[in-house]
DNA sequence: CTGAAGTGATAAACCGGTATAGCTCCTGCA
DNA sequence: TGCAGGAGCTATACCGGTTTATCACTTCAG
């Protein structure tokens, strides 16, 4: 017998298919003894449900999807997605739900994937990352009635369920720390302003500047690439009056910036303090090791998984779960200004 | 109408379900005109096959799996898997086949996943990476009759189909280059000797040493972590007679090693040349930028996808496809010895 | 003693496709 | 004229589960 079906089990147990189904799914309709006997036989025949058959009858696939819209080249170096993925997986595996991953070029392609997944019944729900300001994906998944959870984007009115960390507070903690060290000229090498989280960080810097008595606190947008991170840094350090501290919106940009500082002979942290808004092995590999904001991305993923499961169970629920606050890990790249 | 089925199409077209199935799958049994009409209607109703229904009838799921057995913490920084994944995906998407990714802790868990996937009919085949010397996974997938392709491991007799690059040649090209520069004391910070590819690299160094007149060419095993890479480097550079060049088996270890050299005041490339056996943004971010061996991992993935599809179509085929040779990208971290 | 409610089970429909046996024409050939 | 054979299509079984209608039987209240 290659692969037992519930019919085989029913046969062996001398009951009907229905009874077996009831027993295996722990629902009423069979006596305690019969249930035990069926479970025993199923175990013994090492039966496993055929996922497709189950998906066809009931309308769930026990699978959720994650689409990342970024050029593959830039992926991989950022541990963010790997950790997020692991966290999601860990939150899902407890419920035997699998996770589908797809990397696409842009948001348009991403929406096309949702459309396909939805119509082919390949996933029960999806996770949205990197939310933009007026993100078309929100409307798209709503129109498809595809359960979804937004990561990192705080849902506004009528918005999707979300899991988020307080970017604003996190950024404030960085700037306040630098100000406390004595820095007054702090530059912020930001990400793409189109992203909601980037906007929140930029706003945080702008709002805190007067209160902390900062003389100059520009936020400079980039595309998150190491190239632009390096270019902006070069520009900043070429000015007559240089910033004494730079906050980078990603670890990769921070590393690139550190490289530029070394190349230009600017001592870190002697003449320049460097902070990365995201932690990873990368920041620790550097010399000097970078002060960085650590977020528990794994836990982020796990919580997102939980929320998504709730949304799938009841699509009307809207949860906005706030995760643990990021903490600043101080290393060797920050010091009082000269 | 929420979601059209072929029955709806059959209804609209005034034909039977069977005819619609024939038409949509491009198989004989319907006339040219009827086929055209059915396709038109299907298009118009924006019909998409229900993946589960299809999987139930035919015995294919149009999905393949990739399991990576490494602690999540070390993933992410290495772009290898992200690129491989993208390549696989690109090779599969042309055939509308989806890719399942799972990250687990160890090989045992990995095999358990294959067992589950197989019995639940979740995938049509799998990709095996990081092949160990006597890898239990090979027997496992064979026993499950699960089509599989090995990446990076050259299949021996009775082995699985594989896609591989010539690690030996690649390592030789590195060592020969260093020897040509004048280096005679070359250390090799290797990975886990349990991996087949690591063994091949170690052997390559050992075999080439006498021919190239190397005085000392030790291969030192590690667990691929930045920590061990750094530790071994520290040891090497503390010796009375230091190597003048070090080859690292991964970019992460090379970066860690470079950090140790800086910390110990050993000039790179003045007193020490550094080469990474794997390229990524990481190596380019460094100062000095690291000379590294570039492999086209994306293409690797794409070819693996092709081979896997062939194996799924005909499980008796055994293909051993060799991919493009890796090339050495020379940057700033290598120079003749002092 | 009768009727109602509850328990434990069965048989059959159903989900949305694919595969196959079989039916009806039509054509070609002896 | 008869028949083989193929094209074009229909009807139906089937894949492996879930769900529902139904039924036999017991129990208990009235």
């Amino acid at each position: 017998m290659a692969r037992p079906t519930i019919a085989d089990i029913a046969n062996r147990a001398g009951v009907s298919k229905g009874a077996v189904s009831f027993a295996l799914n722990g629902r009423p309709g069979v006596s305690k003894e019969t249930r035990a006997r069926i479970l025993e036989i199923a175990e013994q025949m090492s039966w496993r449900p055929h996922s497709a058959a189950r998906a066809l009858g009931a309308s769930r696939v026990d699978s959720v999807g994650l689409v990342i819209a970024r050029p593959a080249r830039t992926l991989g170096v950022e541990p963010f997605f790997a950790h997020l993925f692991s966290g999601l997986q860990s939150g899902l595996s407890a419920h035997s739900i699998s996770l589908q991953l797809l990397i696409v070029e842009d948001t348009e392609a991403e929406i096309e994937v949702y459309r396909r997944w939805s119509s082919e019944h390949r996933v029960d729900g999806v996770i949205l990352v990197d939310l933009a300001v007026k993100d078309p994906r929100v409307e798209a998944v709503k129109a498809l009635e595809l359960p979804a959870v937004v990561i990192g984007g705080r849902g506004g009115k009528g918005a999707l369920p979300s899991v988020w960390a307080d970017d604003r507070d996190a950024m404030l903690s960085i700037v306040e720390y630098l100000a406390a060290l004595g820095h007054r000229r702090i530059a912020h090498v930001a990400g793409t302003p189109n992203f909601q989280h980037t906007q929140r960080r930029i706003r945080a810097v702008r709002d805190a500047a007067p209160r902390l008595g900062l003389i100059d606190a520009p936020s400079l947008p980039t595309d998150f690439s190491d190239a632009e991170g390096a270019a902006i840094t070069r520009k900043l350090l070429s000015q007559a009056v240089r910033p004494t501290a730079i906050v980078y919106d990603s670890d990769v940009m921070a590393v690139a910036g550190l490289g530029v500082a070394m190349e230009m002979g600017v001592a870190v942290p002697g003449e320049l303090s460097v902070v990365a808004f995201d932690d990873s092995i990368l920041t620790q590999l550097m010399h000097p090791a970078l002060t960085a904001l650590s977020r528990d991305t794994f836990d982020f993923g796990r919580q997102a998984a939980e929320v998504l499961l709730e949304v799938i169970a009841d699509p009307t629920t809207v949860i906005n779960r706030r995760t643990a606050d990021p903490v600043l890990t101080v290393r060797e790249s920050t010091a009082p200004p000269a």
Side-chain angles (χ1 to χ4, degrees), chain A residues 71-86:
Chain A
R73 191 186 143 272
T74 68
L75 277 171
V77 185
E78 293 176 68
F80 180 83
F81 287 110
H83 292 176
L84 180 70
F85 185 87
S86 300

Side-chain angles (χ1 to χ4, degrees), chain A residues 204-319:
Chain A
V205 174
R206 201 188 53 207
D207 294 351
R211 178 167 56 83
L212 298 173
L214 303 188
I215 299 171
D216 195 21
S219 282
L220 307 150
T222 68
D223 63 354
F224 271 115
S225 73
D226 56 304
E228 290 207 3
I232 293 269
T233 306
R234 213 165 272 127
K235 210 163 176 181
L236 283 169
L237 298 184
S238 304
Q239 294 170 346
V241 183
R242 296 203 293 239
T244 59
I246 304 183
V247 181
Y248 293 87
D249 256 8
S250 84
D251 47 355
V252 172
M253 290 200 295
V255 169
L258 178 64
V260 169
M262 287 173 56
E263 151 200 324
M264 294 179 69
V266 177
V268 175
E271 300 171 76
L272 178 72
S273 287
V274 170
V275 180
F277 194 112
D278 225 339
D279 205 0
S280 72
I281 310 191
L282 253 181
T283 53
Q284 297 164 51
L285 283 176
M286 296 301 111
H287 289 268
L290 298 180
T291 293
L293 192 84
S294 315
R295 298 185 285 176
D296 191 344
T297 317
F298 184 90
D299 187 61
F300 222 68
R302 202 165 44 194
Q303 298 215 36
E306 276 173 26
V307 173
L308 181 56
L309 291 182
E310 287 188 52
V311 175
I312 289 172
D314 175 8
T316 64
T317 49
V318 176
I319 306 173

Side-chain angles (χ1 to χ4, degrees), chain A residues 112-127:
Chain A
E112 193 45 49
V113 169
Y114 293 144
R115 219 165 262 146
R116 212 185 63 230
W117 274 355
S118 169
S119 59
E120 293 181 0
H121 266 73
R122 277 198 182 269
V123 297
D124 296 323
V126 295
I127 311 273

